[in-house]
Amino acid sequence: MRITALAGGVGGARFLRGLLHHLRASGADTPDLTVIANTGDDITLFGLRVSPDVDTLLYTLGGGVEESQGWGRATETTRVQGELAAYGVGPQWFTLGDLDVGTHIARSLWLGQGLSLSEVTARLAQRWGLPEQGVRLLPMSDSPVETHVVLTEDGEQRAVHFQEWWVRLRAGVPADRFVVAGLDRAGAAPGVLDAIRTADVVVLPPSNPVVSIGIILGVPGVRDALRGTTAPVVGVSPIVGGAPVRGHADACLAALGLPTTSAAVAGLYEDFLDGWLVDPQDAAVALPRARVRVHDEPLLMTDVAAAGRIAGTALTLAADLGR
Ligand code: FO1
């Protein structure tokens, strides 16, 4: 079964790790999973290209993530950044661990040598053993795309990089809107549109609907491919009991004038969504499109087994829809 997923960082990575766990436990053949990663969070820091969602997927699926925070490397130190601070080199609000820096140096070096982001990501994925697990990790685009957030502070509007809003400001200053530099002219990376069109199932993990999945949907051709695919498209709500499971999805939805409900998230996908998995607390959702099949299942990914159970339910929902 060819599965294609659109994913952001921590929520997407944990869900997909559960999906692989579920597929292995159910004795299926080697999984055939294509993951299309958001690269709108990417940022250049200290001259290095950092790709947080891609790296979170690499480390989580490759067994090297720092579980307590969901991103970065386990058993990490920050000596390099400490030395940069001693030189007065910033920013210091974004923590880059020493092992993580190795990834950014490799990525930046290879990009500088003329490799595409897809080629670089494939090399990084090889090191983390993703191909052996049946996983193909694709950036959504080979072109640089960067999400910026327009804010009003002291009566003045200014735009900051998404990471500055998310990490330094903790999304505490309301976003007026998001501006995604480079998105309108970003072509989908090789394999992205085909992976959607030829999948047996397309899954939307519980990733941020605005700044993760929403950015991937903005890559020219992706939304059309989702509308046109014959595969059932099944999503998992990132909202449980009217609040994001993690991260600041509430602040992102507010910027679009939307409430923090699983129904509002489903509304963002209404032109291509077939099945929608919600938590029992949100089971009474009124969806904008009656033909979307809603199923409820506890959605807290407390461990790998719980994420596997949720992923298994999403596949069952997809199979029911495909009949
Ligand atoms: N998140 C934080 O809250 N603080 C950080 O200092 C931070 C550093 C960081 C470094 C590398 C990386 O891959 C991710 C990192 N994140 C950090 C997570 C990241 O900011 C966001 O969670 C995602 O971009 C949103 O998906």
Side-chain angles (χ1 to χ4, degrees), residues 281-314:
Q281 296 176 63
D282 308 291
V285 294
L287 289 189
R289 254 173 84 182
R291 99 172 171 77
V292 177
R293 177 100 55 93
V294 181
H295 182 88
D296 67 271
E297 173 81 15
L299 291 186
L300 288 184
M301 295 189 285
T302 44
D303 55 20
V304 176
R309 175 186 45 74
I310 297 164
T313 307

Side-chain angles (χ1 to χ4, degrees), residues 36-152:
I36 301 167
N38 169 43
T39 55
D41 291 14
D42 293 11
I43 186 167
T44 301
L45 292 170
F46 312 114
L48 302 174
R49 193 69 180 153
V50 182
S51 211
D53 285 358
V54 167
D55 294 345
T56 297
L57 287 158
L58 288 171
Y59 300 157
T60 306
L61 302 182
V65 79
E66 174 52 49
E67 287 295 338
S68 63
Q69 54 195 19
W71 50 268
R73 294 283 306 273
T75 63
E76 186 61 294
T77 48
T78 52
R79 298 187 66 196
V80 171
Q81 194 152 0
E83 195 60 13
L84 290 165
Y87 285 117
V89 175
Q92 291 292 329
W93 49 261
F94 197 78
T95 306
L96 288 188
D98 299 334
L99 298 173
D100 197 26
V101 164
T103 304
H104 312 317
I105 292 175
R107 172 183 294 114
S108 307
L109 184 74
W110 291 329
L111 288 172
Q113 289 171 348
L115 270 70
S116 68
L117 189 58
S118 300
E119 291 166 331
V120 169
T121 304
R123 283 193 183 182
L124 297 172
Q126 190 76 42
R127 179 255 187 267
W128 286 100
L130 270 55
E132 290 107 279
Q133 296 186 59
V135 179
R136 192 164 61 122
L137 178 60
L138 306 177
M140 63 184 197
S141 174
D142 279 340
S143 312
V145 173
E146 282 191 11
T147 304
H148 289 80
V149 186
V150 178
L151 330 154
T152 305

